[in-house]
Amino acid sequence: MLRFLTAGESHGQAELAILEGIPVGLSVTEEIIQKDLDKRRGGAGRGGRGLIEKDKVKILSGVRLGKTIGSPIALLVENSDFQNWKVTMSVHPPSEQTSHLREVSNPRPGHADLAGALKYGFSDIRNVIERSSARETIMRVAIGSICRRFLSEFNIQIDSRIIRIGKMEIPDNSQIEEIIIRALKKKDTLGGVIQIIARNVPPGLGSYVHWDRKLDGLIARALMSIPSVKAVEIGDGITNAGKFGSQVHDEIYYDEKYLRKTNHAGGLEGGVTNGEDIVCRVYHKPLSTLGNPFNTINLQTKKSVKAVVERSDICVVPRAGVISEAMIAFVLSDVLLEKFGSDNLNDIKKNYQNYLRRIKI
Ligand code: EPS
């Protein structure tokens, strides 16, 4: 139903996206998208790039007089840093003046550098770094913002909170900066865990009938595709694996609608929403650009060298919640459109209300 593509290199002219499948009649403004982009931009653990970029979004198509018109929505965020990288990121072959540009040949363990260079046959890892950069997530957040706007028409809300930075449990956000500064002083990086919750999700989204329509699988794929995410948990999936069934399943009762006493399943049973909140956790690995770089192999000489030290962040966790929220917003919008129709917002709302009446919630 819904699909998007992004384009853009981290230091290229711009980040771009095309989103197709949002129904007619949804109010969308640059201001709404900008609020989410601003959440992604700043915060503790951000490297130098955060000071350079403003991440201002432009809507180029698909919206007329503040409302969607059914055609693809094109979004653009220009990279301010392109001005500083213009020569490096030129689309023209290097002239004599630019031929001194140094190739990146020392891949960072943990990054896409080596695997990407081998896959495409690059001698210059810069070609990999530019596209594998987490800067691409700017467009996911912009897309997610539109999807979130759509979901809010059905009163579905998505938010997130940090559970852990490194090994430290984070009850509130007050210690985050201190933990990250400690890592920075050690020239090291940190990962962590973020919990995302989608509230007021109706039962019956997704499907149990085939593997590629199961909503837990679709959510896991979407979250896993976020740079630095190495594990995804739905509900209490990880701890549940070590418990008895009697400690894990969520008893059903009825109070004008079907409800559960607990929500260990994280709102999903058999790949279908059950009406409880969808609860997921994403596990981010520590970033792989290390101030004290690891040993690696130079692509040209095959000799042992230190990995390249690129400008990078220390920890993405403080600002990454909005990226996971965006990916969940996209997936939920897609399955909602699949179930209730896809062209016109008012038609979809009527179908939705009929469904709620039928299942009496
Ligand atoms: C990012 C932009 C990047 C990094 C970061 C995310 O900018 P630069 O490479 O110019 O510093 O700050 O990307 C990574 C940490 C990574 O590993 O790719 C952004 O705008 O989010």
Side-chain angles (χ1 to χ4, degrees):
M1 294 290 129
L2 204 55
R3 56 187 178 154
F4 76 88
L5 274 180
T6 69
E9 281 79 37
S10 182
H11 306 99
Q13 295 188 46
E15 302 291 329
L16 304 137
I18 295 180
L19 171 64
E20 198 229 0
I22 290 290
V24 166
L26 183 73
S27 320
V28 174
T29 62
E30 290 173 352
E31 288 70 33
I32 290 172
I33 303 174
Q34 197 60 52
K35 274 191 191 151
D36 282 339
L37 290 183
D38 291 345
K39 284 193 207 161
R40 198 206 71 101
R41 189 163 66 93
R46 189 75 163 105
R49 186 72 181 272
L51 301 171
I52 298 169
E53 298 296 340
K54 295 282 172 281
D55 295 351
K56 288 281 171 237
V57 70
K58 282 188 198 147
I59 299 173
L60 302 184
S61 74
V63 177
R64 184 161 177 264
L65 308 175
K67 296 226 171 179
T68 54
I69 54 171
S71 47
I73 301 173
L75 302 167
L76 174 88
V77 171
E78 287 182 40
N79 290 323
S80 307
D81 211 17
F82 174 64
Q83 294 310 322
N84 309 321
W85 284 71
K86 229 179 192 162
V87 176
T88 320
M89 296 305 293
S90 170
V91 291
H92 304 291
S95 64
E96 266 172 36
Q97 289 85 348
T98 58
S99 58
H100 64 281
L101 288 173
R102 278 233 317 277
E103 293 196 342
V104 179
S105 320
N106 301 341
R108 292 161 295 174
H111 222 279
D113 297 0
L114 178 60
L118 293 176
K119 177 177 168 66
Y120 287 107
F122 293 138
S123 60
D124 185 359
I125 294 168
R126 173 70 50 210
N127 291 332
V128 179
I129 298 176
E130 284 298 326
R131 180 62 188 163
S132 61
S133 166
R135 183 140 184 85
E136 182 260 354
T137 61
I138 200 166
M139 277 302 144
R140 304 206 202 189
V141 171
I143 297 288
S145 188
I146 297 172
C147 293
R148 206 197 275 275
R149 192 58 278 297
F150 170 67
L151 293 173
S152 74
E153 296 285 333
F154 304 87
N155 202 22
I156 299 172
Q157 308 290 338
I158 303 172
D159 51 26
S160 64
R161 70 181 178 91
I162 298 167
I163 302 276
R164 248 166 43 206
I165 301 257
K167 268 197 270 186
M168 290 284 288
E169 304 284 332
I170 303 288
D172 59 79
N173 288 356
S174 62
Q175 310 126 306
I176 291 177
E177 197 150 346
E178 195 192 318
I179 298 168
I180 292 174
I181 287 172
R182 255 185 271 145
L184 171 69
K185 283 188 183 150
K186 286 201 240 164
K187 291 191 165 187
D188 220 323
T189 60
L190 280 170
V193 184
I194 299 171
Q195 177 169 285
I196 309 101
I197 300 191
R199 295 189 170 85
N200 300 318
V201 183
L205 298 184
S207 175
Y208 62 85
V209 303
H210 211 71
W211 70 271
D212 58 351
R213 296 178 61 202
K214 285 179 179 259
L215 185 54
D216 42 9
L218 296 172
I219 288 176
R221 178 174 92 149
L223 294 177
M224 201 71 173
S225 75
I226 297 170
S228 89
V229 170
K230 293 296 273 186
V232 174
E233 181 181 18
I234 293 184
D236 298 331
I238 292 174
T239 45
N240 284 354
K243 290 185 175 174
F244 290 111
S246 57
Q247 298 170 303
V248 162
H249 297 295
D250 305 306
E251 284 193 305
I252 303 170
Y253 68 100
Y254 190 84
D255 184 6
E256 293 180 2
K257 61 178 179 174
Y258 296 100
L259 290 162
R260 306 299 173 114
K261 291 187 177 160
T262 51
N263 187 20
H264 299 302
L268 283 154
E269 288 169 310
V272 187
T273 54
N274 63 9
E276 297 296 312
D277 293 345
I278 296 182
V279 184
C280 309
R281 287 184 204 96
V282 287
Y283 292 70
H284 285 263
K285 71 181 177 186
L287 291 174
S288 45
T289 303
L290 300 177
N292 292 320
F294 265 21
N295 292 331
T296 187
I297 294 292
N298 179 281
L299 291 189
Q300 273 81 50
T301 65
K302 310 284 184 283
K303 297 250 162 64
S304 181
V305 287
K306 293 289 175 197
V308 64
V309 184
E310 282 285 306
R311 176 178 63 195
S312 182
D313 302 340
I314 305 301
C315 180
V316 295
V317 176
R319 62 198 188 92
V322 69
I323 306 168
S324 284
E325 290 173 30
M327 292 310 286
I328 291 197
F330 173 76
V331 174
L332 288 183
S333 300
D334 189 31
V335 290
L336 201 137
L337 288 166
E338 181 189 58
K339 183 152 176 61
F340 299 109
S342 57
D343 291 337
N344 177 295
L345 186 59
N346 285 335
D347 292 351
I348 298 167
K349 280 184 170 175
K350 278 184 202 144
N351 293 342
Y352 186 76
Q353 290 308 330
N354 279 341
Y355 176 70
L356 293 192
R357 266 193 295 279
R358 167 163 80 69
I359 60 169
K360 284 206 192 72
I361 68 167

